[in-house]
Amino acid sequence: MSVQLQLDGVNRSFDGYKAINDLSLSVDKGELRAVIGPNGAGKTTMMDIITGKTRPDSGKVLWNQSLDLTKIDEAGSARLGIGRKFQKPTVFETHTVEENIALSLKAERGVFATLFHRRTEAERARITELLQLVRLEEARDRPAADLSHGQKQWLEIGMLLAQDPELLLVDEPAAGMTDAETMRTADLLRSLAGRHTVIVVEHDMDFVRALNCRVTVLHQGHVLTEGSLDHVSSNPEVIEVYLGR
Amino acid sequence: MTTLIDRRMGVFLAGLFVLTVLIPAGNLASDGALVPSYIVSLFGKYLCYALLAVALDLVWGFCGILSLGHGAFFALGGYAMGMHLMREIGDRGVYANPLLPDFMVFLNWKELPWFWLGFDQFWFASLMVMLVPGALAFVFGWFAFRSRVTGVYLSIITQAMTYALQLAFFRNEMGFGGNNGLTDFKDVLGIPLQTDTARAGLFVLSALALAAGLLIARAITTSKLGMILVCIRDAESRTRFMGYRVEGYKLFIFVVSAMMAGVAGALYTPQVGIINPGEFSPANSIEIVIWVALGGRGTLVGAALGAIIVAASKTLFTGWFPEFWLFALGGLFIVVTLFLPRGVLGLIEDGLASLRGGGARRAVSAAREDGQAPDAAPEAEARA
Ligand SMILES: Nc1ncnc2c1ncn2[C@@H]1O[C@H](COP(=O)(O)OP(=O)(O)OP(=O)(O)O)[C@@H](O)[C@H]1O
Ligand SMILES: [Mg+2]
């Protein structure tokens, strides 16, 4: 099995505070990986570093064992095939739900390509398919601003899938969802694994359990331990970190 | 997909067409009795302002780039046309120098500076009208957008840009007539500027330019690129994570907008008969923002309407109580920003909608169609 993403001794501090501290992590192609850790553990910052939003002070982030992602900007990482869902759902509020999906679809991203773009039949079909998948077909023509928090989460997942990325970075997808929706999200993410590599950050332990995958515990910007959920949750250090906060 | 000419655009273009027939024809047919000649030039000037407002709306209304320096692009277009008009004067100037404009003779210059070459050709000047503002916008935008300068900082440096140009153009050594600018034009394409034919022609051209500007702007904003501009306006960071290079999009729309402003300036110069460094003044650029805000940001037609309304009020007001104009303008701006977030156009459309019944609901959905940014447009933040 080949390695999709590898972080190697990554450091990043903000005003002297080490948000990411000698972080090393490796995720295989097609793997589903959950990352947990208390607030401020550096989970989101890790995603910022992978996607080029934040530059590390030192260390390497390797894509497919060759390309160093630390030299690449946000748009560049998206073009490589890294898709991201944000902790706080951000959809384009004034655009319709359909337009949000359409703009995310995998396609040429250049200025002139989009200026002269005409929506194809295939794109139309794909949009409908995705809207059905995230159960927003009814809301298709409504501005995204009208959606509930949970629906926005779904829309963002739809936008992520529309990009058809190789690697999906999913930051707290279940926040604001009902229990049933949470489980459906877990099912969806599980079904993506294999064809896509998926890294999910989540606090909700039922959700992580439902993912049924390898878990990495992050604490103070460093990997505390890694393994099955049962394995990590019986680790005394992990228990202390979670109880101690 | 949205249509190129929606109801709003259709009504505006129809109105513009009627004006374009009535004003010049009324003037020519009645020999100035019904529609005085100065009215033709005055309204022609308003149309140039309207085009300038549309240009600003493209960058501000749709892409969130609050340029406080658009007057510079307008002035550069105006100067490019002014240079042609100066050279058209030929040996009919006070000093009767066939090659050098009067101000150069006065400064004891012996030959034409290199950057004045080619401006004797109308086609060359027309090209420069767009290329010079476009090039400035390109260079400026290249640095500003790549370094991710946004918001207030960007506004401030655009303002600094136009101010710097104003100071530069004030200097005689720059070779653009210094303080006095370029004036005393005689004719354009062989037609004396003081004739009603020339006035009517310029009016019609301005109207055509405005219509073309509106349609181009509408085509751009309804394209996929236009949708992405709105994404950038509402959640810039998020747009990047979808793989769009935001700086490229901003640069494109900034350059297109600058060229449009240049055309507006080029049509303005012959109609007012002068172009001077005052056109670069920071206050002018701020006034353009007021036009757009007042008319209705992000609606194109509203921007054009706003420019015409404010410019016409200015003409009337400065006639009645000149010293109060600035207060009136400031007051108007405050009223609009506080009570009319969708500008005059929004007010008109809401009014019509409630007349037709179905009031509030329709007004709301109309607001949505505009893709109006919610006031506190949430900047996409990757972190909660
Ligand atoms: N741009 C920044 N500037 C300053 N401090 C930052 C920045 N980004 C992250 N931090 C700090 O780094 C630490 C890690 O934050 P991060 O958002 O990565 O945590 P997290 O694990 O995602 O937490 P949560 O579960 O609350 O989302 C926090 O203390 C945060 O305040
Ligand atoms: Mg986080």
Side-chain angles (χ1 to χ4, degrees):
Chain A
M1 181 132 352
S2 62
V3 176
Q4 174 81 267
L5 182 75
Q6 187 176 357
L7 278 77
D8 202 1
V10 177
N11 287 286
R12 170 73 209 218
S13 44
F14 295 107
D15 312 317
Y17 174 74
K18 279 189 126 342
I20 296 289
N21 186 5
D22 190 26
L23 176 64
S24 296
L25 183 83
S26 165
V27 180
D28 287 337
K29 256 200 179 97
E31 189 185 340
L32 171 60
R33 171 73 61 94
V35 175
I36 62 172
N39 293 108
K43 304 178 298 287
T44 302
T45 309
M46 178 187 81
M47 292 193 169
D48 286 347
I49 288 174
I50 297 170
T51 51
K53 182 176 195 277
T54 299
R55 303 247 173 262
D57 301 327
S58 63
K60 260 194 247 164
V61 182
L62 286 185
W63 175 247
N64 283 329
Q65 289 171 305
S66 50
L67 192 71
D68 190 355
L69 289 178
T70 59
K71 308 272 184 295
I72 288 172
D73 67 357
E74 302 96 314
S77 80
R79 288 176 186 203
L80 272 179
I82 302 177
R84 183 164 178 187
K85 191 210 137 318
F86 293 88
Q87 183 164 355
K88 176 175 145 230
T90 29
V91 295
F92 299 107
E93 308 247 327
T94 54
H95 284 319
T96 62
V97 169
E98 173 179 347
E99 209 59 68
N100 269 277
I101 298 280
L103 292 170
S104 311
L105 280 182
K106 192 172 193 164
E108 284 280 329
R109 288 322 200 209
V111 170
F112 293 99
T114 53
L115 180 59
F116 298 110
H117 176 84
R118 291 270 162 278
R119 194 170 295 171
T120 63
E121 220 27 74
E123 285 179 326
R124 251 183 265 278
R126 180 78 183 128
I127 293 168
T128 305
E129 194 184 325
L130 284 162
L131 285 173
Q132 280 165 351
L133 182 70
V134 296
R135 302 195 183 174
L136 286 173
E137 233 206 332
E138 300 288 285
R140 179 173 206 139
D141 295 320
R142 295 225 307 269
D146 283 4
L147 300 182
S148 69
H149 189 80
Q151 284 177 312
K152 283 183 188 167
Q153 295 275 38
W154 278 109
L155 176 56
E156 221 191 346
I157 291 172
M159 291 162 70
L160 185 58
L161 296 178
Q163 284 184 55
D164 192 23
E166 247 181 275
L167 168 66
L168 286 81
L169 301 173
V170 192
D171 204 348
E172 303 202 18
M177 285 189 179
T178 62
D179 288 351
E181 281 180 322
T182 304
M183 287 307 129
R184 220 159 66 72
T185 311
D187 288 344
L188 175 70
L189 292 174
R190 261 208 330 268
S191 74
L192 293 172
R195 278 177 299 128
H196 308 263
T197 311
V198 186
I199 301 179
V200 192
V201 163
E202 189 50 74
H203 282 298
D204 183 337
M205 282 306 151
D206 292 332
F207 177 81
V208 176
R209 186 165 298 283
L211 289 177
N212 188 24
C213 65
R214 199 176 167 81
V215 178
T216 299
V217 185
L218 227 59
H219 177 52
Q220 297 182 340
H222 190 78
V223 175
L224 199 60
T225 179
E226 212 171 87
S228 71
L229 183 60
D230 289 330
H231 171 79
V232 302
S233 50
S234 60
N235 182 319
E237 270 188 291
V238 175
I239 296 171
E240 197 196 305
V241 162
Y242 269 92
L243 292 179
R245 71 188 164 110
Chain B
M1 279 265 101
T2 21
T3 44
L4 187 63
I5 301 183
D6 56 354
R7 156 120 40 103
R8 172 195 284 169
M9 180 72 80
V11 170
F12 186 85
L13 290 180
L16 181 64
F17 179 77
V18 171
L19 269 187
T20 309
V21 172
L22 287 188
I23 292 186
N27 171 258
L28 292 177
S30 71
D31 223 5
L34 231 61
V35 181
S37 300
Y38 82 90
I39 286 287
V40 180
S41 295
L42 190 64
F43 275 73
K45 186 174 90 171
Y46 296 165
L47 296 182
C48 297
Y49 287 157
L51 181 58
L52 176 57
V54 172
L56 183 74
D57 198 24
L58 260 184
V59 289
W60 183 39
F62 291 89
C63 197
I65 303 171
L66 176 53
S67 166
L68 292 181
H70 253 54
F73 303 126
F74 179 83
L76 286 173
Y79 265 95
M81 187 46 69
M83 286 161 79
H84 172 66
L85 299 177
M86 287 307 270
R87 297 211 54 189
E88 279 250 316
I89 298 172
D91 58 9
R92 289 169 293 171
V94 179
Y95 299 111
N97 186 313
L99 194 60
L100 297 187
D102 279 347
F103 76 88
M104 293 188 192
V105 181
F106 184 76
L107 290 173
N108 262 321
W109 291 14
K110 296 295 170 233
E111 57 186 324
L112 205 61
W114 62 268
F115 48 83
W116 275 77
L117 296 175
F119 278 94
D120 51 330
Q121 301 292 326
F122 181 77
W123 67 266
F124 181 84
S126 310
L127 212 59
M128 289 302 135
V129 156
M130 290 195 277
L131 286 188
V132 173
L136 174 66
F138 187 88
V139 173
F140 182 91
W142 175 270
F143 288 108
F145 301 143
R146 266 170 50 101
S147 346
R148 302 199 179 174
V149 181
T150 54
V152 184
Y153 298 98
L154 188 89
S155 301
I156 291 172
I157 59 171
T158 52
Q159 179 101 112
M161 171 189 80
T162 197
Y163 187 54
L165 283 168
Q166 182 183 22
L167 296 182
F169 273 72
F170 262 129
R171 294 159 46 89
N172 281 328
E173 306 84 79
M174 273 288 280
F176 297 105
N179 203 4
N180 301 322
L182 310 175
T183 187
D184 292 331
F185 311 132
K186 300 278 188 267
D187 47 27
V188 61
L189 292 172
I191 308 168
L193 281 169
Q194 295 309 319
T195 59
D196 287 343
T197 335
R199 286 202 175 94
L202 285 165
F203 185 95
V204 172
L205 274 178
S206 306
L208 286 175
L210 174 58
L214 277 169
L215 289 176
I216 290 171
R218 175 89 182 142
I220 292 175
T221 54
T222 53
S223 73
K224 186 173 177 182
L225 179 138
M227 300 286 144
I228 296 162
L229 294 180
V230 172
C231 290
I232 295 172
R233 177 192 74 188
D234 293 348
E236 177 168 334
S237 165
R238 182 71 179 84
T239 313
R240 293 181 198 275
F241 286 105
M242 293 203 320
Y244 295 108
R245 285 248 146 71
V246 165
E247 43 282 359
Y249 285 84
K250 285 187 174 176
L251 194 56
F252 171 81
I253 203 65
F254 198 56
V255 169
V256 168
S257 169
M259 289 163 110
M260 207 177 264
V263 171
L267 286 159
Y268 171 86
T269 300
Q271 297 190 79
V272 297
I274 183 167
I275 179 85
N276 63 29
E279 295 299 334
F280 284 105
S281 91
N284 277 20
S285 291
I286 292 172
E287 199 173 322
I288 309 168
V289 173
I290 297 180
W291 300 341
V292 176
L294 186 127
R297 179 186 168 204
T299 61
L300 300 175
V301 167
L305 215 55
I308 296 171
I309 293 172
V310 176
S313 321
K314 186 177 188 171
T315 306
L316 293 176
F317 231 91
T318 42
W320 299 331
F321 337 86
E323 58 277 30
F324 291 119
W325 166 242
L326 277 179
F327 294 105
L329 184 65
L332 212 56
F333 184 62
I334 292 170
V335 167
V336 167
T337 37
L338 287 184
F339 303 108
L340 302 175
R342 296 175 53 230
V344 172
L345 187 72
L347 185 70
I348 296 173
E349 289 183 346
D350 287 355
L352 289 178
S354 56
L355 275 185
R356 260 187 258 114
R361 198 160 27 82
R362 282 215 205 157
V364 168
S365 68
R368 295 267 158 70
E369 271 167 39
D370 299 345
Q372 282 286 323
D375 251 359
E379 166 60 351
E381 247 325 309
R383 53 189 56 255

